[in-house]
């Protein structure tokens, strides 16, 4: 038992004494810590003491991308907490570049006989990926729920933020401030959320900013996700005279701010920047970031409820639930430079 305590303590990153208290169902251990120890017990393949078995309805896998983008830990935290409240033990699987793949994590989860899996921004969001992997899971049958991404014809619940509306609201905000030459910075166009953002931006630019469809091409930059991708894309757009940019993530927006400052431009007076996610700490950046907020808590709770219904045989509707984004105005957007407004007035 001593060796087992050591293994469990190492997996859970707690002391052996804490593991002992949890296994003996003694008080004095926080609920979160108790859950971490029980998850470590399950992941390592140890059988729970009889007194603890009734407290778990089973394991549920949670597959998320790398945690560098703070929006993914935000989703993971709410999903894990909501699963635990429903009696399930969450098993977090984090993907990193060059590390364990989504398919490899799924195999590991299946070996642990999970009751279901939640995928956040996984391969289901990639139109170039083979989605037969999900059809095979559903055929087992294994309940799955997918967040931020959509596969037509796949019999599972999908939960997404309305990316098209987010882009339209962001453009409308900048247009109201007098901007007309508004760029778009987002990721590769094979991803469903990117395609939807592009569609929303194009629609709003022609309808609200009065830009001809044929003139939109130079104003859109599809780059790598992350700060570096946002910085490179913003540099190219600044060379084309944009006064505002709508970004596909908060990290890309931070990259756009860096690019503006490298050119001696102030944000927001020289360039207005709108992010996407409202991930933690964006209210404390310099300047505080104007962004489109994903309703993370509502989306995560809805996803867990749909999964639990599937597990319990109630059959959640196999459709996509779209959640409305919220514009959060902070300090990274301002009235367009007077020269830009004067130029637009002359051309109107």
């Amino acid at each position: 038992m001593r060796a087992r305590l050591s293994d469990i303590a190492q997996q859970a990153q707690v002391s052996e004494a804490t593991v002992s208290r949890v296994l003996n169902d003694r008080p004095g251990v926080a609920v979160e810590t108790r859950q971490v120890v029980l998850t470590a017990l399950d992941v390592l393949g140890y059988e729970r003491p009889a007194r603890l078995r009734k407290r778990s309805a089973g394991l549920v896998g949670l597959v998320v991308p790398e945690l560098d983008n703070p929006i993914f830990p935000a989703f993971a935290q709410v999903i894990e907490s909501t699963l635990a409240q429903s009696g399930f033990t969450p098993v977090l699987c984090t993907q990193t570049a060059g590390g364990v793949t989504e398919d490899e994590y799924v195999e590991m989860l299946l070996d642990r006989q999970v009751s279901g899996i939640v995928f956040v921004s996984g391969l289901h969001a990639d139109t170039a990926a083979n989605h037969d992997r999900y059809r095979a899971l559903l055929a087992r049958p294994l309940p799955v729920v997918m967040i931020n991404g959509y596969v037509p014809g796949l019999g599972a619940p999908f939960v997404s933020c309305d990316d098209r509306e987010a882009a339209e609201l962001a453009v409308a905000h900048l247009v109201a401030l007098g901007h007309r030459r508004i760029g778009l910075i987002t990721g590769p166009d094979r991803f469903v959320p990117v395609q939807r953002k592009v569609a929303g931006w194009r629609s709003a630019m022609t309808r609200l900013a009065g830009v001809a469809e044929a003139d939109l091409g130079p104003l859109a930059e599809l780059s790598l996700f992350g700060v570096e991708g946002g910085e490179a894309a913003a540099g190219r757009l600044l060379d084309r005279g944009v006064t505002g940019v709508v970004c596909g993530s908060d990290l890309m927006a931070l990259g756009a701010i860096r690019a503006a400052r490298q050119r001696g431009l102030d944000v927001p007076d020289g360039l207005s920047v709108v992010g996407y996610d409202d991930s933690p700490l964006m209210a404390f950046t310099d300047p505080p970031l104007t962004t489109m907020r994903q309703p993370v808590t509502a989306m995560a709770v809805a996803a867990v409820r749909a999964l639990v219904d599937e597990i319990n045989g109630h059959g959640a509707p196999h459709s996509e639930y779209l959640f409305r984004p919220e514009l959060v105005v902070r300090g990274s957007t301002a009235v367009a430079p007077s020269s830009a407004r004067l130029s637009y007035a002359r051309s109107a």
Side-chain angles (χ1 to χ4, degrees):
M1 186 63 183
R2 180 74 179 176
R4 292 179 62 183
L5 283 178
S6 175
D7 293 341
I8 298 166
Q10 183 176 3
Q11 176 71 25
Q13 297 185 338
V14 299
S15 68
E16 292 183 27
T18 297
V19 174
S20 178
R21 284 196 293 271
V22 171
L23 296 184
N24 289 290
D25 203 19
R26 292 175 182 166
V29 181
V31 175
E32 295 81 3
T33 303
R34 186 180 298 273
Q35 194 62 54
V36 167
V37 172
L38 293 177
T39 298
L41 194 74
D42 295 332
V43 168
L44 292 173
Y46 293 135
E47 186 174 346
R48 292 189 180 198
R51 67 176 69 87
L52 300 178
R53 290 176 200 164
K54 64 180 182 296
R55 297 189 179 182
S56 174
L59 297 175
V60 168
L62 171 56
V63 182
V64 300
E66 76 289 339
L67 300 182
D68 293 343
N69 187 334
I71 197 63
F72 296 130
F75 269 113
Q77 182 177 11
V78 180
I79 292 171
E80 288 183 324
S81 174
T82 309
L83 281 170
Q85 291 171 13
S86 299
F88 290 90
T89 301
V91 180
L92 179 62
C93 301
T94 304
Q95 301 176 72
T96 57
V100 180
T101 66
E102 179 179 307
D103 290 337
E104 290 170 337
Y105 270 131
V106 168
E107 287 301 317
M108 293 166 57
L109 293 171
L110 293 177
D111 287 343
R112 296 298 179 191
Q113 298 182 326
V114 294
S115 300
I117 303 177
V118 178
F119 294 93
V120 181
S121 299
L123 291 173
H124 64 282
D126 189 344
T127 59
N130 185 344
H131 296 136
D132 286 344
R133 52 174 50 86
Y134 301 118
R135 295 183 179 91
L137 290 176
L138 294 170
R140 291 181 69 93
L142 181 74
V144 299
V145 173
M146 303 181 190
I147 296 178
N148 282 339
Y150 181 66
V151 180
L154 195 64
F158 293 85
V159 174
S160 300
C161 187
D162 193 334
D163 295 285
R164 181 184 179 108
E165 183 176 8
E168 291 180 348
L169 289 172
V171 170
H173 170 62
L174 292 176
V175 168
L177 293 172
H179 297 270
R180 293 300 181 274
R181 197 161 180 81
I182 301 167
L184 174 69
I185 298 172
T186 189
D189 63 0
R190 70 177 190 272
F191 295 106
V192 172
V194 170
Q195 294 173 359
R196 292 174 172 179
K197 287 184 177 75
V198 171
W201 171 80
R202 296 183 75 92
S203 173
M205 287 294 289
T206 55
R207 180 167 43 88
L208 302 177
V211 180
E213 182 77 25
D215 297 331
L216 289 175
L219 297 179
E221 279 290 335
L222 304 185
S223 184
L224 298 176
F225 287 114
V227 175
E228 294 77 13
E231 180 181 358
R236 293 189 288 270
L237 289 177
L238 285 170
D239 291 339
R240 298 169 197 157
V242 301
T243 62
V245 290
V246 173
C247 299
S249 74
D250 289 339
L251 293 185
M252 298 187 94
L254 295 181
I257 292 173
R258 180 192 290 176
R261 287 178 171 163
Q262 287 178 345
R263 284 163 172 73
L265 295 174
D266 178 65
V267 176
D269 294 332
L271 179 71
S272 285
V273 179
V274 181
Y276 179 87
D277 283 334
D278 194 29
S279 45
L281 303 181
M282 289 304 111
F284 307 101
T285 58
D286 180 24
L289 187 65
T290 294
T291 187
M292 299 304 307
R293 174 183 293 161
Q294 285 200 72
V296 170
T297 299
M299 292 171 63
V301 169
V304 171
R305 287 177 178 171
L307 186 74
V308 172
D309 283 346
E310 290 277 301
I311 292 172
N312 292 333
H314 300 318
H318 296 164
S319 58
E320 184 178 26
Y321 302 86
L322 285 178
F323 284 74
R324 181 181 175 86
E326 178 188 355
L327 174 65
V328 181
V329 180
R330 297 195 181 104
S332 65
T333 53
V335 174
S338 56
S339 58
R341 298 198 306 274
L342 181 61
S343 174
Y344 171 74
R346 287 173 176 171
S347 62

